[in-house]
Amino acid sequence: MLSLKTAAWLRTLVRRMGPVATDAGSATGDSRTDMSGRTQSVLRAFFGGGGGRAGLRIDPGGWLKSVRTSRARESTMPLSEERLTLTLDGGVEGIWDCNLADRSIWISERWLARLGYAVDAIEARQPLDHIVHAEDRERLTLAMVAHARGLAPTYECEHRVVCRDGTSFWVLTRGRVVERNGAGKALRAVGTQIDISHRREAEARVEYLALHDDLTGLPNRRLLRQRLDRAVMRARNGRFTAAVLACDLDGFKAVNDTLGHSAGDRLLRIVADRLSGAVGSGNTVARLGGDEFALVLEGLEGPHQADAVAKHVIAVLCAPIEIDGMVVEIGVGIGAVMVPNEGITADDLLRRADIALYEAKTTGRDTYRRFEPALAARHSARYLLAFDMKDAIRRGDFYLVYQPVIDLAAETVTSFEALMRWRHPERGLISPMEFIPVAEETGLIVALGAWALAEACREAMAWPGEIRVAVNVSTVQFQHDLERSVSNALDGAGLSADRLNLEVTESALMRDPEGVVATLHRLRARGVRIALDDFGTGYSSLSYLRRFPFDKIKIDRAFIKDIAEPDAAAIVRAVVGLGERLGMSIVAEGGETAEQLDLVRSEGCDEVQGFLFSRPLPANEVQAFLRSRRMSAAA
Ligand code: C2E
Ligand code: MG
Ligand code: MG
């Protein structure tokens, strides 16, 4: 028979089931005869409704089992019991009752079935550790201990449960201690368990996508950083020697350009496979974008092992690759850095690896260099900028501003010169005078310049048809298919070629006069106009004017600044005379004062560009500037 004390305890238990059963359930006692004919007293606590009632039954041996009775027998069921039964019948939620002393656990009927156990089997009372995934036990225990010690009002943990057949799935376990001994020690906890495997799978998928490269399935930059953080921490504990290898393919662009992008993609996948094979398991191979990869090698005995892996990687990637029946050969430059044990950020590690890579690339094809502090000291500022620049291109931190060029006779705007700006997340605005040379040195100007062309042409489409856009092109772009970048930009924007001016400097003509002049002729044949920029700075300028019939000469602002002085004025006058004879119009750069403007006009310049009229404007202010000029002309 059920004692009063036990009945009260059961009611308390039912009340404490927390979110599932908020009201007190019922508790009764009765007796039954077992198989051997003995009479046993049985304790029951019921929660339930609907088609039947679910509950706990404590048999004389102390076993708690779930039981079910028919609705007909228990017709006056409270609403809370009905809700609980419905929940339990739904099968997505289970109830558990854990003896904290021996860690044995009772689990409700449907949930036991979900775990693959027979409901009435004696094994219904499982040791807790059997059903919790081995990797999650410590976490679960810690959460339970924190709650048992009163540090958390309830206890909650996401973990995996192991089914009888060995498979596992994710659950959210919530519970609370319902019984303590006189000394306050937690003896028993009860609670619920919800299947969250679908949510976990979706989360895992999202996480996978966020941390992996689409094309190759390799870890991406974010995951690489996480792995680097781990390697740095281990190195700090003196446990592991690790190295980071930055790899940049040679010859990838040629494959992409000649065989097409899908061949390029296949090549990258083959490279990914070869790299993964070359470094073996336990190490990380990541794709950082384009043809850049990075490796994190862990558990090394010393730098010599990193050197050996790097040489092996070079050998593996140099082996011919067959794509679409064509045999292609690529190479790779590798820069490595050992993870120091004094603590370093992942970004600094990557920077150092990049410095070494840059050194390797400038030494020659298929070269490997390991970072040394002397390297950084030699090049640090520039390299750091180059490193940041790669990220900035990806993030879109570059933008263009537009400075108007004014026709001196008509006082109207003829064009805008697109000038690049870089808003660095830490350093703020960086001048093109600082970053363009670095971009040229590292080859990043090719991508950056193509972007500027495309962006400027796109922007110019919004302007009145008579206004042209001028874009600066660097010498390096000539060696990397400038014509294609120009065509892509014009076609992409739908801009007519005669609205595009390209500004080139004398240095472009110095490096490869024949090649550059031929390119300029072809571009001009398409209708693009060509200006010689910064005229008068440095070189034996006049000879270049004979090599190519430029449309415009832009006199460097150094001469305009000093135009009040006889020497500078004489040079400006000579250039204007030259322009007239060669049929080239003359632009004065850097007109800042009304006095300079008068002199520039009296010396015979055709156009002027300078702060006097306007500083370079953000794209969205161009139209307003044009309107205000038109209004002041009309007034
Ligand atoms: P640049 O092509 O000669 O451009 C003219 C520079 O003179 C611009 O400097 C402009 O802001 C500045 N300027 C214009 N009027 C005045 C003035 O009245 N007073 C003074 N003090 N300066 C004036 P910015 O924008 O700093 O560009 C510097 C150089 O960086 C450019 O000289 C060009 O060589 C290079 N650059 C800028 N954008 C690009 C680009 O997209 N591609 C390439 N390859 N080079 C670029
Ligand atoms: Mg220019
Ligand atoms: Mg200039």
Side-chain angles (χ1 to χ4, degrees):
M1 280 291 141
L2 189 66
S3 76
L4 276 177
K5 194 174 161 209
T6 317
W9 166 79
L10 262 176
R11 266 187 222 102
T12 313
L13 164 62
V14 172
R15 217 179 301 122
R16 286 179 177 170
M17 293 304 275
V20 178
T22 48
D23 301 331
S26 62
T28 57
D30 63 11
S31 60
R32 66 175 169 124
T33 307
D34 72 4
M35 304 277 283
S36 60
R38 275 179 305 178
T39 301
Q40 299 180 332
S41 43
V42 176
L43 176 72
R44 288 181 175 175
F46 280 103
F47 336 83
R53 302 185 66 200
L56 310 176
R57 187 179 72 207
I58 301 182
D59 288 341
W63 292 107
L64 252 146
K65 286 189 179 171
S66 62
V67 292
R68 185 180 291 274
T69 64
S70 75
R71 184 167 195 141
R73 278 179 56 204
E74 303 285 344
S75 53
T76 53
M77 200 181 293
L79 193 58
S80 60
E81 295 179 17
E82 186 177 325
R83 286 195 192 113
L84 179 65
T85 299
L86 286 171
T87 310
L88 291 175
D89 282 352
V92 292
E93 184 151 349
I95 287 182
W96 54 266
D97 179 334
C98 184
N99 177 337
L100 297 174
D102 66 3
R103 296 176 74 76
S104 61
I105 188 165
W106 169 89
I107 294 164
S108 60
E109 198 174 291
R110 292 291 290 249
W111 199 245
L112 263 187
R114 172 80 176 85
L115 293 173
Y117 291 100
V119 170
D120 286 330
I122 198 80
E123 62 194 2
R125 193 170 182 92
Q126 289 291 319
L128 175 64
D129 292 346
H130 261 197
I131 62 155
V132 178
H133 195 284
E135 287 171 19
D136 301 341
R137 277 177 211 153
E138 192 179 326
R139 205 155 32 85
L140 186 75
T141 306
L142 285 175
M144 201 183 261
V145 167
H147 165 58
R149 291 194 180 149
L151 301 175
T154 54
Y155 115 86
E156 196 169 307
C157 181
E158 291 188 6
H159 62 93
R160 282 158 293 178
V161 284
V162 183
C163 299
R164 195 177 182 200
D165 63 5
T167 58
S168 60
F169 65 96
W170 279 93
V171 296
L172 167 64
T173 295
R174 287 197 182 109
R176 54 167 55 168
V177 168
V178 294
E179 197 179 323
R180 294 178 186 273
N181 67 11
K185 184 173 172 6
L187 299 177
R188 178 157 174 241
V190 296
T192 58
Q193 225 161 43
I194 307 174
D195 181 350
I196 55 165
S197 45
H198 288 307
R199 198 198 81 205
R200 275 283 178 160
E201 273 159 28
E203 281 171 4
R205 183 84 200 126
V206 168
E207 192 176 307
Y208 179 87
L209 291 175
L211 296 176
H212 290 83
D213 167 49
D214 265 3
L215 181 69
T216 59
L218 289 178
N220 64 12
R221 189 177 282 270
R222 272 183 66 191
L223 185 52
L224 176 79
R225 281 207 174 96
Q226 290 179 11
R227 302 268 168 92
L228 284 178
D229 287 339
R230 189 183 66 186
V232 168
M233 217 164 68
R234 287 174 168 175
R236 208 182 287 167
N237 298 337
R239 281 203 285 156
F240 283 96
T241 301
V244 185
L245 275 60
C247 311
D248 188 288
L249 304 184
D250 296 319
F252 169 72
K253 194 176 174 301
V255 173
N256 227 8
D257 289 349
T258 51
L259 300 182
H261 287 297
S262 75
D265 286 353
R266 247 168 299 152
L267 176 70
L268 289 171
R269 281 194 214 105
I270 292 170
V271 167
D273 286 347
R274 287 191 179 182
L275 283 173
S276 302
V279 304
S281 61
N283 297 309
T284 300
V285 178
R287 178 167 173 240
L288 305 182
D291 59 356
E292 284 174 64
F293 294 81
L295 317 177
V296 184
L297 309 176
E298 297 193 64
L300 301 177
E301 280 162 20
H304 63 280
Q305 276 190 323
D307 299 351
V309 172
K311 283 175 192 146
H312 180 54
V313 165
I314 291 177
V316 164
L317 291 191
C318 285
I321 297 174
E322 205 190 307
I323 295 175
D324 295 344
M326 303 265 297
V327 176
V328 299
E329 283 186 20
I330 54 157
V332 63
I334 302 181
V337 59
M338 300 305 295
V339 179
N341 55 11
E342 81 261 20
I344 184 170
T345 66
D347 272 347
D348 279 339
L349 264 180
L350 286 173
R351 280 192 185 118
R352 290 184 184 182
D354 240 38
I355 289 172
L357 171 63
Y358 186 76
E359 199 65 21
K361 295 284 268 191
T362 47
T363 313
R365 236 179 118 100
D366 299 332
T367 314
Y368 161 67
R369 274 302 292 266
R370 184 142 44 77
F371 174 84
E372 300 147 26
L375 277 185
R378 204 156 12 118
H379 307 280
S380 63
R382 290 206 136 188
Y383 283 123
L384 292 183
L385 208 58
F387 179 82
D388 290 347
M389 202 178 286
K390 285 189 192 172
D391 259 0
I393 294 176
R394 277 184 212 109
R395 273 202 309 262
D397 288 348
F398 288 94
Y399 63 98
L400 296 178
V401 289
Y402 298 89
Q403 189 177 34
V405 182
I406 313 287
D407 182 293
L408 276 169
E411 296 222 336
T412 51
V413 178
T414 57
S415 59
F416 285 88
E417 178 176 6
L419 295 160
M420 211 182 286
R421 296 290 178 264
W422 177 8
R423 196 182 304 284
H424 190 281
E426 286 140 34
R427 295 184 46 191
L429 215 53
I430 302 181
S431 158
M433 307 294 273
E434 189 179 350
F435 70 77
I436 295 284
V438 178
E440 287 176 336
E441 206 172 292
T442 52
L444 292 171
I445 191 70
V446 176
L448 209 52
W451 168 81
L453 276 164
E455 178 71 7
C457 291
R458 194 183 59 77
E459 205 61 63
M461 280 301 287
W463 307 342
E466 72 280 8
I467 309 281
R468 300 196 185 93
V469 64
V471 182
N472 293 284
V473 292
S474 144
T475 314
V476 183
Q477 289 173 265
F478 281 91
Q479 289 138 29
H480 290 90
D481 213 351
L482 174 65
E483 279 172 270
R484 186 198 286 249
S485 304
V486 171
S487 296
N488 288 346
L490 289 171
D491 298 346
L495 189 78
S496 151
D498 62 6
R499 289 186 60 198
L500 176 65
N501 286 354
L502 295 184
E503 299 194 358
V504 299
T505 55
E506 295 161 64
S507 53
L509 291 146
M510 277 178 75
R511 213 191 273 182
D512 170 26
E514 275 79 38
V516 169
V517 166
T519 305
L520 289 178
H521 274 296
R522 283 195 298 272
L523 284 167
R524 239 254 295 267
R526 271 204 70 170
V528 176
R529 287 162 207 246
I530 315 289
L532 183 61
D533 203 358
D534 303 342
F535 188 76
T537 49
Y539 310 105
S540 53
S541 315
L542 299 181
S543 67
Y544 297 112
L545 292 180
R546 267 187 272 123
R547 284 177 195 249
F548 183 78
F550 290 97
D551 297 287
K552 280 186 187 191
I553 301 172
K554 298 186 80 172
I555 305 180
D556 193 77
R557 71 167 183 269
F559 301 97
I560 308 305
K561 183 162 106 347
D562 296 337
I563 195 166
E565 291 166 20
D567 286 355
I571 291 173
V572 172
R573 201 171 309 134
V575 176
V576 169
L578 211 76
E580 274 169 4
R581 223 167 316 136
L582 297 171
M584 302 175 188
S585 72
I586 306 295
V587 185
E589 288 193 293
E592 290 186 0
T593 65
E595 187 198 2
Q596 286 168 355
L597 181 67
D598 286 344
L599 291 170
V600 158
R601 204 191 299 266
S602 67
E603 293 299 351
C605 293
D606 303 289
E607 290 170 287
V608 67
Q609 174 181 353
F611 293 170
L612 179 65
F613 289 98
S614 171
R615 286 185 177 262
L617 301 166
N620 60 4
E621 288 177 23
V622 165
Q623 304 273 12
F625 180 84
L626 287 172
R627 272 195 302 276
S628 74
R629 290 289 307 175
R630 256 184 251 123
M631 267 154 55
S632 57

